[in-house]
Amino acid sequence: MTDLPSIVKSWIGTAVVVVERTVTVEKESWLGFCAAIQDGNPLYWDESFAQSHTERTIAPFAMLPSWGSTHPWYPGKQSDGIRAMELHFMLKEALSYPNGIVTSVEMAYHEPVRAGDSVRVEQILRSVSDERATRLGPGRDWTIEVVYRRQDHVLLGLETMSFLGYRRN
Amino acid sequence: MNPNLALHAPLPTRRIEVTTKSIIMGAVTSRDWAPLHHDVVWAKTEGNLPDIIMNNYTQAGLINAYVTDWSGPAARVGRLRFSMRSPICPGDALELSGVIEAIEPEPELIWVSLAIELTVGERVATRSTVRVALPASEQSPSLWHRQAGAWKP
């Protein structure tokens, strides 16, 4: 990591992006996702079934990162807003890679998210590799850890994501 | 209540016909606005990709759904790990398959580790491992009632 810009070096080990609240979790939003993946789990759909397990219906865990992403437009919008993995996009820009893909994800699920909740997101940069040749073009690998908490600081999930940023050959 | 648990037992396979609509719907409903998940021109010219690709949230959702369709909704997924080895694109006939890799009984629950693959023909698109807790018996309390300190995914 000797050839990294100083700004990127200063980010390693720190919570570069902290999102206090973006959207309020809503059932119809997560049911759209369930429809997309054809997931009929009654914990997401059926209030009477959910009552004996989770008190109320819950959102699919796979959507946990989604609740930290702002709307793509809102009144008075001045910038791109906070994207679902804002630190990843900041790294792409700082390292001049137009493209980036997720290569691996590890997620530990804790308390589920329910309608009315909001999610606090903390994105911590763990590592950035030297540049290497990849199938897609020259690029670097980086790893980001994410801590998800509810508005009352209850732990919702812990995520480790690995990315490849690259530019076309 | 629980599926039959035996080490190395396979899970039933699930086949999904991936379409442009399903990829875009998964990305948009998971609030992922990156163009490689909805803009085919951008994906090919800027992303150096064969087409738009399925985003990681949709893949996580498919894997979770595959597991709970097998286990039943009383199960509680604790940990999901997956690595994406090649893109999933419109027109792909995606097959999810899995096998039980470990069974760890505890008081009132059974942890089961699953190895899951998402394949398109002979090509492995994504490899995953999932750790899911199942109630030990029909009399066991709901896994969702565990206090935070007693839930160790």
Side-chain angles (χ1 to χ4, degrees):
Chain A
M1 296 190 286
T2 50
D3 58 343
L4 285 177
S6 57
I7 183 72
V8 175
K9 282 183 182 168
S10 75
W11 289 346
I12 293 174
T14 62
V16 183
V17 175
V18 178
V19 183
E20 289 295 343
R21 181 194 168 282
T22 50
V23 295
T24 303
V25 175
E26 292 175 335
K27 183 174 179 179
E28 292 303 328
S29 296
W30 81 61
L31 291 186
F33 181 71
C34 292
I37 58 171
Q38 299 181 11
D39 187 348
N41 189 329
L43 290 176
Y44 310 146
W45 294 82
D46 184 341
E47 294 295 342
S48 61
F49 179 89
Q51 197 171 21
S52 59
H53 292 285
T54 51
E55 296 173 14
R56 290 185 288 139
T57 50
I58 59 172
F61 276 116
M63 287 190 74
L64 190 49
S66 310
W67 309 120
S69 175
T70 54
H71 296 299
W73 181 90
Y74 47 84
K77 183 179 175 187
Q78 300 286 321
S79 68
D80 283 345
I82 303 293
R83 293 157 286 191
M85 248 311 165
E86 182 64 24
L87 179 52
H88 165 64
F89 291 101
M90 291 169 65
L91 280 162
K92 279 174 57 188
E93 286 151 18
L95 297 168
S96 302
Y97 294 119
N99 310 302
I101 54 173
V102 181
T103 53
S104 71
V105 179
E106 179 166 1
M107 195 87 186
Y109 298 127
H110 289 267
E111 185 66 16
V113 175
R114 296 172 177 83
D117 286 345
S118 59
V119 177
R120 181 185 193 274
V121 183
E122 201 171 278
Q123 299 175 10
I124 303 157
L125 180 60
R126 285 301 172 201
S127 65
V128 183
S129 76
D130 289 329
E131 186 165 284
R132 65 182 179 89
T134 79
R135 270 188 303 130
L136 296 166
R140 295 176 191 262
D141 307 284
W142 51 79
T143 302
I144 296 172
E145 282 186 9
V146 190
V147 181
Y148 298 94
R149 292 187 184 278
R150 204 168 57 194
Q151 65 275 12
D152 55 0
H153 303 292
V154 166
L155 182 64
L156 301 170
L158 298 168
E159 184 177 33
T160 303
M161 296 185 79
S162 300
F163 296 87
L164 170 68
Y166 65 96
R167 71 180 72 86
R168 293 189 67 178
N169 281 314
Chain B
M1 184 169 63
N2 284 339
N4 284 331
L5 296 180
L7 206 55
H8 309 307
L11 276 62
T13 57
R14 180 183 175 193
R15 191 180 161 95
I16 298 165
E17 301 299 329
V18 180
T19 64
T20 299
K21 178 183 173 183
S22 66
I23 288 178
I24 293 176
M25 198 172 165
V28 169
T29 56
S30 61
R31 310 178 58 75
D32 184 346
W33 325 118
L36 72 168
H37 307 307
H38 65 257
D39 184 339
V40 65
V41 174
W42 194 98
K44 287 180 176 176
T45 59
E46 302 296 326
N48 207 13
L49 294 161
D51 203 325
I52 60 168
I53 63 172
M54 184 181 285
N55 74 342
N56 78 91
Y57 308 133
T58 304
Q59 294 197 40
L62 285 174
I63 296 166
N64 274 319
Y66 178 63
V67 170
T68 53
D69 282 352
W70 165 78
S71 65
R76 182 173 175 181
V77 174
R79 187 171 289 266
L80 165 68
R81 184 185 298 131
F82 61 103
S83 61
M84 291 173 283
R85 306 167 69 89
S86 63
I88 299 171
C89 296
D92 284 348
L94 185 66
E95 190 165 281
L96 286 83
S97 60
V99 64
I100 296 176
E101 277 201 323
I103 302 169
E104 306 162 66
E106 288 185 13
E108 298 182 337
L109 67 80
I110 304 166
W111 281 108
V112 179
S113 296
L114 304 168
I116 293 169
E117 279 191 347
L118 280 64
T119 54
V120 178
E122 297 296 310
R123 172 169 65 88
V124 176
T126 296
R127 284 211 168 101
S128 172
T129 56
V130 176
R131 191 165 185 254
V132 58
L134 282 68
S137 72
E138 289 188 24
Q139 288 72 44
S140 301
S142 173
L143 298 170
W144 300 93
H145 296 161
R146 295 208 147 207
Q147 296 297 310
W151 176 246
K152 294 173 179 160

